[in-house]
Every structure is written in structure tokens, then in C-alpha cells.
Amino acid sequence: MGRILLLDDSTDAGLVGQLGAHLSKLKREGLNVADGFILPIGFELVDGMTNEIIRGFDRINASRNRDRNIKEETTAILRPSYMDENHDSEVLRDVARHELIDAVKYLQKNSMRRGRRLAIVIQNDLFAETSGTVHSINPATKDTNEVLIEANLWMNDTVLGGESEPDMILIDKNTGATSLESEEEAEICLEPEQIHELYTLVRRMEKRLGYPISLDWAYDRGVLYILRARKLDEARLENYRYED
């Protein structure tokens, strides 16, 4: 297998794995996903491929600096992408340019030991100030007239991993009013404009797709990025829990 692929090049899980296919679908839906590329399933680290990987890193580094006016070298996040499932425990974060090829080799060897073939998603690592999940309905009550935002400081694994109690913000779809009291607005980790942006986006995506969804998100220097989207089907709603 030869060249690296851009994130929106393929939705074929047999080529880019489930995670790669999912990110490609998000990009094609017009959602803002951190820039990156994919090493397809079956890639080989020959000289030409290693050069392509470094060039890919340089491209996403340059585009981030240009688009965001950031004068610094970014780091990468490397995420394994399998044909059948994803293993988030193997994610490598904060990988510098000179560490990139060794990081790819590490993930490749781990996969080979398990007898599995993988693709690797390489993206700009986000420096998230806030992150979390926004649901197009209230998953705790199944109320379709409410949007629920869960938000936490820093990167989203603190929220998604259940390691901390997130800020909870309910928004009435009929009025657009939030559940926050005036004194609470100053204490939560989101600005009013960000609450409105998340609310508007998840409602737009729900209407486009025709079913309730959850979006995992992160704000990096004020810019919203989408990390994952999931359908809120009956099984997921039944398993959802949170404490008031």
C-alpha cells in the first residue's frame, strides 16, 4: 500500500478503518475536524512512505499556522483505526515531528503482535480549553424538546471517561432559553456564544440526518472542532446516566 490519504479521501473502513471512515464522513458533512491524514491499512514504512509522512506532518503544521496565525510548531495525535473497532487506549498524543516515525512504528508493532492490521489517523493535536458532548435531545429524560450540553475544562477525555463532573446546560428548543441561573453563567466553562454555537450546530445536524445525535467537541483557542458523532438510538439512550 502506498500513499497517505487525506481525512476525506475515503469512507471505506476496509481501507482506512472505522475511525478513519467516521472522520471522513464528518468532513464530508462539512463539520470542522482537526486537519490530518491517514496511513491506510497495509501501509509499509519504506523510505518513500516515511518521507510522505513527514511531508504530511509539515503540511498540517503549516496550514494550522497559516489559518490560525500561530507561530509555533504543532504536535500530532496518532490514533489507530481498525476495520472492526477502535482502541482509544493506544492513542499517542503530543508527538513532535522528530518523534513521528518512531510513534508510527510503535503502533504498527503493537498491532502486529495482536495479529491485527491497522490504519493510523494522524491529526493536529488540539490544545483544548474546553470540551465535552452536546446531545440533540436530553438523553437522561429522552425529552426531544431539550438540547443537553456537557462541558469540562481541558481535553474531552475527562468528560467522556467519566473522570470529572461536567457542567450541564439544558436548552429549550422552543424558546432557546438555557437552564442556567444568572449567577451560574459566570461559573461554567463555556461562553454564551459557544453555547449558542453548539446548540445551533447539533440542531442543524439532527435536522439534516433525521435522527437525534451526540457530538463530541473541543474548543481550541476559541475554534470549535468536532471529534466524533453518534446516533442516539434506543440502546445508547438506555445506557446513558448522569447525576443531577
Side-chain angles (χ1 to χ4, degrees):
M1 183 63 64
R3 68 187 187 90
I4 64 176
L5 302 171
L6 299 179
L7 285 184
D8 57 353
D9 275 347
S10 177
T11 59
D12 179 4
L15 178 62
V16 296
Q18 292 287 348
L19 174 62
H22 182 70
L23 291 174
S24 179
K25 290 175 184 176
L26 294 184
K27 289 276 286 185
R28 294 182 182 193
E29 286 289 342
L31 298 178
N32 191 30
V33 176
D35 197 8
F37 57 94
I38 301 174
L39 312 184
I41 289 174
F43 73 89
E44 296 181 3
L45 278 178
V46 294
D47 288 343
M49 189 62 160
T50 57
N51 291 337
E52 276 197 70
I53 293 170
I54 296 299
R55 285 196 297 269
F57 178 93
D58 290 341
R59 180 191 64 78
I60 62 175
N61 181 53
S63 66
R64 178 183 174 88
N65 288 349
R66 181 183 64 251
D67 296 342
R68 304 287 306 281
N69 196 27
I70 298 171
K71 305 299 183 184
E72 62 188 35
E73 180 176 295
T74 188
T75 56
I77 180 170
L78 278 66
R79 304 165 69 188
S81 181
Y82 297 97
M83 285 186 285
D84 52 349
E85 59 181 312
N86 301 312
H87 294 265
D88 292 337
S89 61
E90 295 181 293
V91 168
L92 301 180
R93 300 200 59 185
D94 200 26
V95 178
R97 185 181 191 270
H98 69 276
E99 302 169 320
L100 192 55
I101 301 304
D102 285 341
V104 169
K105 290 178 180 178
Y106 170 81
L107 292 177
Q108 191 178 44
K109 286 180 180 178
N110 275 359
S111 177
M112 290 173 66
R113 289 193 195 102
R114 300 186 183 102
R116 308 186 67 193
R117 302 171 75 229
L118 86 166
I120 299 177
V121 176
I122 301 176
Q123 293 174 278
N124 276 327
D125 203 0
L126 298 177
F127 300 96
E129 307 99 28
T130 54
S131 58
T133 303
V134 55
H135 310 277
S136 68
I137 66 173
N138 186 340
T141 62
K142 301 182 184 178
D143 190 336
T144 58
N145 290 313
E146 292 180 330
V147 166
L148 174 65
I149 299 174
E150 300 174 87
N152 206 66
L153 289 172
W154 317 128
M155 196 53 197
N156 73 303
D157 52 4
T158 59
V159 173
L160 301 181
E163 297 170 14
S164 65
E165 292 186 10
D167 293 333
M168 296 284 194
I169 305 155
L170 281 172
I171 307 173
D172 189 310
K173 286 183 178 178
N174 296 313
T175 65
T178 74
S179 59
L180 299 172
E181 301 291 341
S182 57
E183 63 271 14
E184 292 177 306
E185 292 180 356
E187 298 176 357
I188 64 169
C189 61
L190 288 174
E191 298 294 331
E193 298 80 9
Q194 294 172 327
I195 294 172
H196 180 73
E197 184 176 24
L198 289 166
Y199 169 73
T200 302
L201 176 60
V202 79
R203 290 212 63 187
R204 175 166 58 83
M205 292 306 300
E206 179 185 47
K207 185 175 181 180
R208 180 187 299 178
L209 297 173
Y211 50 76
I213 63 166
S214 292
L215 298 175
D216 296 338
W217 55 267
Y219 274 100
D220 179 354
R221 308 182 206 214
V223 176
L224 175 62
Y225 291 90
I226 300 304
L227 310 175
R228 180 171 56 177
R230 290 165 292 171
K231 182 178 180 179
L232 276 174
D233 55 20
E234 283 300 318
R236 198 173 297 280
L237 288 170
E238 287 299 325
N239 291 328
Y240 181 85
R241 297 289 183 272
Y242 78 84
E243 299 288 340
D244 274 328

